[in-house]
Structure formats: C-alpha cells, structure tokens
Amino acid sequence: AGKFYQHAPTETSQATLASVSPVFAVMKFDKEGNTTYFEKKKTELYQELGLQARDLRFQHVVSIATRNNRIIMRMEFLKAVITPEFLLILDYRNLSLEHWLLNELASQLAGEGQLVTYSLPFEFRAIEAILQYWISKLQGRLNTLQPQILETLEALVDPKLLSVDRSKLHILLQNGKSLSELETDVKVFKETILEILDEEEVIEELCLSKWTDPQVFEESTSGIDHAEEMELLLENYYRQAEDLLNEARELRVLIDDSESIIFINLDSHRNVMMRLNLQLTMGTFSVSLFGLIGVAFGMNLESSLEEDPRIFWLVTGIMFLGSGLIWRRLLSFLGRHLDPPLPPHVPAVLKKSQPAAGKVEIKSSLKGETFGLSRSTLTNQ
C-alpha cells in the first residue's frame, strides 16, 4: 500500500501531462507541391525536426528565425517550418488560410505560380509564398477600410449639414481603430524584415540548400550568390510594406484633417446659434426696458393722462420706437466687437515707393559685390 501511494502521484502527473500535451494539425508540402495531412503531438514533432519546445510555442507574433538548418516563420495565426525538402504549416484550421493552402500554395511551391524565385531552391519559393500571402492579407485589409473611411468622411464633411450623424461618427471611430491596428501590423512586419536585412549572418542562414547540397554551394560560389538573392527578396517585400504603410498614413492624415474640418463646421454653427441667442437677449432687454412705461401706467394710480384717448397710442409708439432704437444700437455695438477688423489701407505712394527702394538696395548690394570682386582681382594681379 505504501508503494502504491508513492507511485500514484507520479502516474497521475504523467497522465495529466499526456492529456495536456498539444496536438498540431499539420499540412505538409514537398517540392512538387504534393500535400499530406496528419496530426502529431508537439513533443514528437519538435524532436523529429531537431528543434526545441520554445521554437513551436503558440505565439501570435511576426518573426522569422533559423534553428538547426530550419526556418521558423510566424505570421500571427500562420505558423510554418521550412526545410530544404518540405514545408510544414501548423494549425492550418482557418477558413481563409485553408482556401490559400488548397488553391494557391501548392502550385506556387511547385513553380507554377507567378513567383520570381521559381528557379531558386525550395526554401526561396516557400519564404516568398508566405511573405506574399501576408502582404496581400494586409493589402486586402487596407482595401476594405479605405472606401468605408472615404464614404464616411464625405458624409461628415458636408458643409450643408447643421449637425453630425452620430452613427457615422461611430463608424468612423471603428474604422479608425481598425486602421491603427493595421498600421501596427505593417510596422511589425516591416521591422521584422529590417532586422534580418541588417544581419548578414541571418541572411546566409536562410539559404538552407547552400549548406546542405554541395552542388548548390558550388553554383553559388561560381556566380549565383543565393544570399544576395535572399536579400533582394526581403528588400522587395520590405518596400511593399513601406508603400502599404505610407498609404495607411495618408489615410490617417485624411481622417485627422476631416476631423478638423468637422470641428470647424460645428464651431461655426455653434457661434451662429450663440450670436442669435445674444441678439434675442438684447431685444428682450430693450423691450423690457421701455416696458417699464407700461408698468407705470398699469399701476392703480389716477392721473389726468388716462382721460385722454390719444395717450394710449402715444405711449405704445414711444415704447416700440425706443425699444427698436436701443436694440439697433446694441446690434451695432455687437457687430463692431465681433466682426473681424478690415486690413489697414496702404496709400498708393507707399506701394510705388517700396519696389523702388528694393531695387535701390539690390543695386547697391550688386555694386558692393562688384567693387569687392574688382579689388580682389587687382590684389591677385
């Protein structure tokens, strides 16, 4: 019983580790584009490939690394291991990824696609196929966002609108967040390629066939430098990422400028409403001021004026006339202090004299330079 209790925790831990051990759904491509599917545990897979456990870790990052004559490429959800003989795609169960794997990747690896590396070793075709897929993925995201953002901005920047549609602003906010995520992804992709371009040793390590096949090595030393071909390949996709990032930045600048225009339009409409409110307030003040006369006559006090039938029309006329005059004076005061001042008037004499003075200064400076040159010439002679 003692031995049973001693060995029981060990057997339980081994069973737990076996059940927790991840299983990869792997799609394998060879040089001819033939495809095979299988499932294998992570421990068995990295032992067969001669890698370590951290090389096949689940990480949604963008990275390109070499380990033991193997290329490990991570493009977020796309994880691949490249060898001189085959390509492994790990965890391919994604709708868009399966469509690309079944319809495009096999033909590209067999040299039937439009890749420029069809005459180079297998790892060149595999790297270019994956980079092309990822850059097209980023370009597709930008092509989806661009018309939506332009349509939303066109609806928001209309100067005829007195108010802004909140639904359009919500759509613009969501598209702005998606654009920021796209900019981040493109920057990470570009920086990943740039780090490889800055390291010559890493570029050499990416050329797997150069070190495994002696014939390929002799061809590379005789005139075909595969390291230069790899560098040109990476520079091509670095330039595409840079162009894509510039398009995203232009779209971001357009959003910022449109936001400024929207705020300016809202401020102008707000100023119009505030000015109208101020005018109505001044009109109410002027009417209330002369309304005191009507209040005085409405008191329960007797005088000789209420007996004359013409007094009512006289007092009413004075009230409206006085209110109108005060309101007019207040509006003129408001206009003098709110309207922008006119530019100062420049007399015609000054306008004519300024170019002449400039010509005199230019002539004097030219004379000074000529005199200085003549003196230097005489001195040299």
Side-chain angles (χ1 to χ4, degrees), residues 276-333:
L276 178 61
N277 187 19
L278 185 58
Q279 291 176 354
L280 293 176
T281 303
M282 290 187 298
T284 305
F285 169 75
S286 59
V287 172
S288 301
L289 182 63
F290 276 87
L292 295 175
I293 301 176
V295 173
F297 277 93
M299 298 174 65
N300 295 325
L301 298 176
E302 295 181 357
S303 62
S304 57
L305 296 177
E306 64 269 8
E307 298 177 358
D308 193 346
R310 294 172 299 179
I311 292 298
F312 171 77
W313 301 108
L314 179 62
V315 172
T316 304
I318 292 173
M319 290 173 57
F320 279 102
L321 182 61
S323 300
L325 290 176
I326 291 180
W327 192 35
R328 185 65 180 175
R329 294 287 295 178
L330 291 175
L331 289 179
S332 61
F333 175 80

Side-chain angles (χ1 to χ4, degrees), residues 197-304:
L197 291 174
D198 292 338
E199 298 291 338
E200 296 182 2
E201 297 179 356
V202 179
I203 296 177
E204 292 281 350
E205 292 175 356
L206 292 176
C207 304
L208 303 179
S209 300
K210 184 176 180 180
W211 309 108
T212 57
D213 191 353
Q215 183 179 359
V216 174
F217 181 74
E218 291 176 0
E219 291 179 357
S220 67
T221 56
S222 63
I224 303 174
D225 192 353
H226 288 171
E228 293 182 359
E229 294 289 343
M230 181 64 70
E231 185 175 359
L232 292 175
L233 172 65
L234 296 175
E235 284 182 355
N236 178 29
Y237 286 95
Y238 176 81
R239 185 172 61 253
Q240 293 185 28
E242 183 68 24
D243 296 339
L244 186 61
L245 185 60
N246 291 333
E247 293 180 8
R249 287 173 179 171
E250 291 177 358
L251 199 59
R252 171 65 61 186
V253 171
L254 183 61
I255 291 176
D256 296 338
D257 294 341
S258 301
E259 288 179 353
S260 301
I261 295 174
I262 291 171
F263 291 148
I264 290 173
N265 290 334
L266 292 177
D267 290 339
S268 64
H269 293 309
R270 189 182 299 111
N271 292 336
V272 169
M273 298 302 296
M274 292 176 63
R275 185 162 186 167
L276 178 61
N277 187 19
L278 185 58
Q279 291 176 354
L280 293 176
T281 303
M282 290 187 298
T284 305
F285 169 75
S286 59
V287 172
S288 301
L289 182 63
F290 276 87
L292 295 175
I293 301 176
V295 173
F297 277 93
M299 298 174 65
N300 295 325
L301 298 176
E302 295 181 357
S303 62
S304 57

Side-chain angles (χ1 to χ4, degrees), residues 88-292:
L88 299 180
I89 303 294
L90 310 180
D91 290 339
Y92 60 90
R93 292 169 181 174
N94 185 291
L95 294 178
S96 59
L97 191 59
E98 287 184 358
H99 176 77
W100 169 67
L101 291 173
L102 298 175
N103 298 334
E104 300 179 12
L105 182 58
S107 60
Q108 290 176 348
L109 295 177
E112 300 174 359
Q114 299 179 354
L115 303 183
V116 298
T117 55
Y118 61 90
S119 61
L120 293 172
F122 175 75
E123 66 269 14
F124 284 78
R125 299 197 296 271
I127 291 175
E128 185 175 11
I130 294 175
L131 293 179
Q132 186 182 34
Y133 167 76
W134 192 248
I135 201 71
S136 62
K137 193 79 174 177
L138 297 175
Q139 184 68 49
R141 289 169 58 184
L142 181 62
N143 294 338
T144 303
L145 284 174
Q146 188 171 9
Q148 297 178 1
I149 292 176
L150 294 178
E151 182 181 359
T152 306
L153 292 179
E154 186 178 359
L156 289 174
V157 180
D158 191 359
K160 298 179 181 179
L161 298 177
L162 297 178
S163 61
V164 179
D165 190 357
R166 292 185 178 180
S167 61
K168 297 292 185 181
L169 287 177
H170 183 66
I171 295 174
L172 183 61
L173 180 61
Q174 291 180 344
N175 292 333
K177 291 181 179 179
S178 301
L179 184 61
S180 300
E181 294 175 357
L182 176 61
E183 289 179 354
T184 303
D185 294 340
V186 176
K187 287 180 182 178
V188 171
F189 177 74
K190 189 183 73 170
E191 291 174 358
T192 302
I193 297 179
L194 184 61
E195 290 177 358
I196 299 175
L197 291 174
D198 292 338
E199 298 291 338
E200 296 182 2
E201 297 179 356
V202 179
I203 296 177
E204 292 281 350
E205 292 175 356
L206 292 176
C207 304
L208 303 179
S209 300
K210 184 176 180 180
W211 309 108
T212 57
D213 191 353
Q215 183 179 359
V216 174
F217 181 74
E218 291 176 0
E219 291 179 357
S220 67
T221 56
S222 63
I224 303 174
D225 192 353
H226 288 171
E228 293 182 359
E229 294 289 343
M230 181 64 70
E231 185 175 359
L232 292 175
L233 172 65
L234 296 175
E235 284 182 355
N236 178 29
Y237 286 95
Y238 176 81
R239 185 172 61 253
Q240 293 185 28
E242 183 68 24
D243 296 339
L244 186 61
L245 185 60
N246 291 333
E247 293 180 8
R249 287 173 179 171
E250 291 177 358
L251 199 59
R252 171 65 61 186
V253 171
L254 183 61
I255 291 176
D256 296 338
D257 294 341
S258 301
E259 288 179 353
S260 301
I261 295 174
I262 291 171
F263 291 148
I264 290 173
N265 290 334
L266 292 177
D267 290 339
S268 64
H269 293 309
R270 189 182 299 111
N271 292 336
V272 169
M273 298 302 296
M274 292 176 63
R275 185 162 186 167
L276 178 61
N277 187 19
L278 185 58
Q279 291 176 354
L280 293 176
T281 303
M282 290 187 298
T284 305
F285 169 75
S286 59
V287 172
S288 301
L289 182 63
F290 276 87
L292 295 175

Side-chain angles (χ1 to χ4, degrees), residues 7-22:
H7 292 288
T10 306
E11 295 176 356
T12 305
S13 61
Q14 291 178 356
T16 304
L17 289 175
S19 60
V20 172
S21 179

